[in-house]
Amino acid sequence: MEKTKVIIDCDPGIDDSLAIMLALKSKELDVIGITIVCGNSPVEMGFENAKKILKQMNRLDVPVFIGEDRPLCRAYVNALDTHGEDGLGESFLPKVDGYEQEMSAVDFLTLTLKRKKVSVIALGPMTNLARLIQKDLDAFCNIDKLVSMGGTFKSHGNCSPVAEYNYWCDPDAAALVYKTLHENSMRIHMIGLDVTRKIVLTPTILEYICRLNPKMGDFIKKITKFYFDFHWQWEHIIGCVINDPLAVAYFIDQSICSGFDSFVEIETQGISLGQSVVDSMNFYRKEPNATVLTEVDTFRFFQMFLSRLLDLEPEKLDILKDIL
């Protein structure tokens, strides 16, 4: 099987870490680099967290590049209230020394995309991608497939009534990316809160993971406990929403989610800051620049996620149908 070369642009972050783990365990993907952006955690913390995950997965061969440390225009607001003091659920895993790269994330993106078409899975604010546009538009336009965990269509926001965090954190970057996509007849796959809110790691599923693979289960439990507590306190969810792994699963198998094509733009001002405005009724008569995902097969997601992380045959997880 020929693997798809992909760069993961992220802000680890608990769910980013789970997404990286899924990507590294998927034979369809060749993760050629991880680029870090400020978002859930400050960029240096995100860099350290990415290395911790790579060490856990025995994949420190994957290079990690430090990217932008602040949004394009607005002040940076992290999400450590959601992800814990260390950005990894206050697991305080041992630091992994070394592995610093000489070039920045934007330089890596530029040089890589100038040479060949590569896909990008964007799991955080899109500041790195916006800087890539500003630096080298041709390189940006050489992105093969772009999947973004971000935005929302009909579901409410998670940091304002209407905005999802990644787009709210740097709305100007997201707006520039969507505008550039439209101007160059490109399309983004928007994995927003409409679908990610249906991906809830429950205590039952977590206990099942621990029974099947105690080592992996203990690690996941360690980094998600804070996340469980946060979701109960703020949304009264028994479990935690793991947004980012769905973007990776969809990248691998697009039939896991369904939706529609639409023109989308991102609001950069006022009370609706960061809102993804989806022209679902085609009022603007503009060519679509996004595939907006609205439905997800939750069972198939968890079947993929668990079978790969736990090294099991997918059909052995049919019991999930009874516990989801």
Side-chain angles (χ1 to χ4, degrees):
M1 174 188 291
E2 184 176 353
K3 294 187 175 186
T4 300
K5 294 187 182 300
V6 64
I7 297 168
I8 298 178
D9 188 58
C10 58
D11 56 339
I14 296 167
D15 53 334
D16 301 75
S17 299
L18 296 172
I20 291 170
M21 292 163 67
L22 175 60
L24 294 175
K25 294 286 282 186
S26 296
K27 61 183 182 298
E28 299 90 344
L29 305 183
D30 177 12
V31 181
I32 64 172
I34 296 173
T35 52
I36 306 299
V37 67
C38 66
N40 291 329
S41 59
V43 70
E44 292 286 352
M45 182 183 291
F47 174 65
E48 296 298 333
N49 287 343
K51 290 189 294 179
K52 292 175 183 178
I53 298 304
L54 291 175
K55 182 178 181 181
Q56 171 70 20
M57 303 301 289
N58 295 313
R59 288 299 310 274
L60 281 165
D61 57 294
V62 177
V64 184
F65 301 88
I66 298 176
E68 298 300 301
D69 63 359
R70 60 178 61 86
L72 292 188
C73 300
R74 68 169 303 198
Y76 169 48
V77 181
N78 66 47
L80 295 182
D81 62 329
T82 305
H83 293 265
E85 182 182 332
D86 63 346
L88 268 183
E90 300 188 354
S91 55
F92 300 111
L93 299 172
K95 182 178 180 181
V96 179
D97 292 323
Y99 299 97
E100 285 82 2
Q101 304 295 323
E102 291 185 3
M103 72 174 70
S104 70
V106 176
D107 287 342
F108 170 71
L109 286 163
T110 304
L111 292 173
T112 302
L113 289 163
K114 288 286 278 187
R115 292 197 302 263
K116 57 193 172 184
K117 279 188 171 291
V118 174
S119 295
V120 175
I121 303 175
L123 304 177
M126 290 197 278
T127 318
N128 286 340
L129 293 178
R131 292 298 187 195
L132 172 64
I133 291 169
Q134 294 172 338
K135 181 175 182 177
D136 195 322
L137 177 60
D138 290 339
F140 175 83
C141 290
N142 216 27
I143 294 175
D144 189 24
K145 185 163 90 173
L146 176 57
V147 171
S148 165
M149 189 281 115
T152 184
F153 172 41
K154 289 189 175 181
S155 186
H156 60 85
N158 61 2
C159 57
S160 85
V162 296
E164 177 277 328
Y165 173 78
N166 286 338
Y167 291 5
W168 175 88
C169 180
D170 194 345
D172 301 281
L176 178 58
V177 169
Y178 276 82
K179 178 176 180 287
T180 303
L181 291 167
H182 179 255
E183 292 173 346
N184 291 275
S185 300
M186 297 170 68
R187 197 164 297 182
I188 193 170
H189 300 260
M190 191 181 100
I191 308 290
L193 297 179
D194 299 270
V195 285
T196 64
R197 273 208 165 96
K198 299 171 186 175
I199 305 301
V200 179
L201 179 64
T202 64
T204 301
I205 296 173
L206 182 55
E207 184 59 32
Y208 186 52
I209 294 171
C210 291
R211 292 291 182 93
L212 294 174
N213 188 322
K215 183 179 178 181
M216 181 64 75
D218 181 66
F219 181 77
I220 294 174
K221 182 178 287 188
K222 189 176 296 184
I223 68 172
T224 58
K225 182 184 183 302
F226 189 95
Y227 219 26
F228 271 77
D229 294 342
F230 174 87
H231 279 83
W232 173 250
Q233 180 181 359
W234 288 97
E235 297 190 38
H236 291 290
I237 293 173
I238 301 176
C240 58
V241 179
I242 51 173
N243 304 278
D244 293 334
L246 181 59
V248 173
Y250 170 81
F251 184 93
I252 295 167
D253 181 359
Q254 290 190 22
S255 67
I256 285 178
C257 296
S258 61
F260 62 95
D261 295 336
S262 178
F263 175 75
V264 177
E265 57 188 344
I266 311 302
E267 179 56 63
T268 61
Q269 299 291 331
I271 194 172
S272 299
L273 180 80
Q275 181 177 9
S276 42
V277 181
V278 178
D279 186 15
S280 59
M281 302 304 294
N282 198 25
F283 283 107
Y284 295 153
R285 298 293 190 265
K286 291 185 177 181
E287 191 70 22
N289 59 352
T291 299
V292 180
L293 286 310
T294 57
E295 300 293 334
V296 59
D297 188 327
T298 304
F299 165 71
R300 287 182 57 211
F301 165 78
F302 274 108
Q303 185 184 46
M304 175 191 285
F305 182 65
L306 296 189
S307 66
R308 296 183 181 206
L309 261 60
L310 305 179
D311 297 311
L312 297 172
E313 293 298 322
E315 56 270 18
K316 292 186 178 180
L317 292 166
D318 284 348
I319 191 175
L320 288 170
K321 293 178 181 177
D322 299 325
I323 62 177
L324 287 172

